[in-house]
Amino acid sequence: DGGITQSPKYLFRKEGQNVTLSCEQNLNHDAMYWYRQDPGQGLRLIYYSQIVNDFQKGDIAEGYSVSREKKESFPLTVTSAQKNPTAFYLCASLKGADGTEAFFGQGTRLTVV
Amino acid sequence: QKEVEQDPGPLSVPEGAIVSLNCTYSNSAFQYFMWYRQYSRKGPELLMYTYSSGNKEDGRFTAQVDKSSKYISLFIRDSQPSDSATYLCAMSISSGNTPLVFGKGTRLSVIA
């Protein structure tokens, strides 16, 4: 089955640690996105990538980093510089030139302990 | 003014009711309008997609776009308890790799 897989589903991080969230898609989509969802805040864009080896900052990129070495993969690293990392993180992919529908993964719940 | 405004609710209705969910927006360049449904602790899934102004119907769901008023709506007829979820509106300027801008979502509960 085609889709987007995020792992892990739940992640716990100690303060001061970097953690990496995985996002893999086998839909052959060009564009991939990372959103953060907090209660009452909706989805806020962290980073996005329209093509391999290229990515752009979204609205709340500070404290996060990404890479796009392969079309299928778009991992997100939450660094120690992110002051309030506890949130639900969603990865999405979008078809290319004629695509507007975004397909989402099932999310990763990150908690700082 | 935020780019996309959506009443977060919560909205509680009895089973069988007609539900109306709405979003307003400020950017007149938006042309593609979507409604996503998100169950608790899950990723959003696309429910309806509309290009420019007009109506689109799919089963019990109807999406309306009024670009002159910068207002979009989602109607759910004969609402069911399984419709209980958070509904997010989303929009974009163009097709093809343009990031979607989301509303905050409206939490809906349909009571049996």
Side-chain angles (χ1 to χ4, degrees):
Chain A
D1 286 333
I4 300 180
T5 302
Q6 288 186 243
S7 62
K9 190 172 182 179
Y10 299 98
L11 186 59
F12 296 89
R13 189 195 92 170
K14 293 182 179 179
E15 286 196 28
Q17 283 184 336
N18 293 353
V19 289
T20 297
L21 283 59
S22 170
C23 179
E24 303 278 334
Q25 55 102 356
N26 59 5
L27 299 166
N28 199 34
H29 286 174
D30 294 312
M32 297 185 73
Y33 302 82
W34 275 106
Y35 289 91
R36 170 179 170 146
Q37 188 174 35
D38 296 281
Q41 294 288 328
L43 273 66
R44 293 184 290 169
L45 183 64
I46 304 173
Y47 267 99
Y48 65 101
S49 168
Q50 296 177 326
I51 196 169
V52 175
N53 292 322
D54 185 54
F55 48 83
Q56 309 294 328
K57 291 183 179 180
D59 301 319
I60 55 166
E62 186 176 350
Y64 299 97
S65 65
V66 293
S67 63
R68 187 84 187 279
E69 297 177 2
K70 299 186 299 181
K71 189 175 186 178
E72 300 80 17
S73 179
F74 191 40
L76 174 74
T77 297
V78 185
T79 75
S80 57
Q82 171 50 236
K83 298 306 179 188
N84 185 22
T86 294
F88 189 51
Y89 291 87
L90 287 160
C91 178
S93 72
L94 196 71
K95 278 179 66 176
D98 62 347
T100 308
E101 176 179 354
F103 290 84
F104 282 86
Q106 290 303 294
T108 293
R109 174 70 184 177
L110 173 64
T111 303
V112 173
V113 296
Chain B
Q1 180 187 10
K2 292 190 181 297
E3 208 165 12
V4 178
E5 299 272 8
Q6 183 176 10
D7 187 339
L11 180 63
S12 184
V13 301
E15 183 176 359
I18 297 174
V19 177
S20 173
L21 304 168
N22 311 292
C23 288
T24 59
Y25 62 95
S26 58
N27 189 347
S28 58
F30 285 136
Q31 294 191 77
Y32 297 84
F33 304 91
M34 287 136 279
W35 286 95
Y36 282 82
R37 178 175 61 195
Q38 185 179 24
Y39 292 113
S40 182
R41 298 191 181 93
K42 302 289 186 184
E45 56 180 339
L46 183 69
L47 201 58
M48 298 288 285
Y49 161 72
T50 310
Y51 170 69
S52 193
S53 285
N55 295 358
K56 187 172 185 177
E57 187 173 321
D58 183 1
R60 296 184 296 111
F61 299 90
T62 299
Q64 287 186 350
V65 175
D66 182 350
K67 289 190 70 179
S68 62
S69 303
K70 298 191 182 68
Y71 187 87
I72 70 171
S73 300
L74 176 71
F75 297 96
I76 307 174
R77 291 182 298 280
D78 187 25
S79 57
Q80 303 294 311
S82 59
D83 295 328
S84 298
T86 296
Y87 291 80
L88 299 142
C89 64
M91 44 200 81
S92 68
I93 293 172
S94 64
S95 67
N97 300 336
T98 305
L100 300 178
V101 180
F102 284 86
K104 290 187 175 182
T106 300
R107 184 185 297 179
L108 170 68
S109 293
V110 181
I111 310 301

